[in-house]
Amino acid sequence: QVQLVESGGGSVQAGGSLRPSCAASGRTYSKWCMGWFRQISGKEREGLATIDSRGITAYADSEKGRFTISKDNAKNILYLQMDNLEPEDSATYRCAASWDVTAIEALGRIADPAFGYWGEGTQVTVS
């Protein structure tokens, strides 16, 4: 089993920054790919960013330049640095993990329940 626990969400004014994190525990694989997606009530889930076991990253076109994904391999913690936030970014941000998949492949699949493991999410509100 794999457990993913997000934290670091919160409320911020437009133009501000947040850096949610995701702590992974349980079974760990050297070939993990991890990433972030967000969920807005009544809308489709949206994949945001992924990072694979080689450290290669992939981003949704809409978020390039504002969001940066990173990972602390020693601590098994995933981060998403979010800058210049807009009210439209208000959502539940969830992390996900799977294995034997590249960052680019994962970006298109991460918001699918069949992708792998999901965390419960952390709420971000931008006003």
Side-chain angles (χ1 to χ4, degrees), residues 33-37 46-65 67-70 78-80 101-110:
C33 179
M34 299 184 71
W36 292 91
F37 68 96
E46 178 186 12
L48 299 172
T50 53
I51 182 168
D52 65 24
S53 60
R54 300 167 296 170
I56 294 175
T57 58
Y59 294 92
D61 287 341
S62 59
E63 309 309 332
K64 281 183 180 178
F67 292 0
T68 303
I69 191 170
S70 62
L78 181 74
Y79 301 99
L80 184 68
V101 61
T102 67
I104 293 176
E105 291 169 341
L107 188 62
R109 296 166 47 193
I110 193 171

Side-chain angles (χ1 to χ4, degrees), residues 5-29:
V5 180
E6 301 93 335
S7 61
S11 297
V12 66
Q13 292 188 337
S17 298
L18 283 172
R19 193 178 76 149
S21 61
C22 171
S25 61
R27 299 173 72 183
T28 57
Y29 294 89

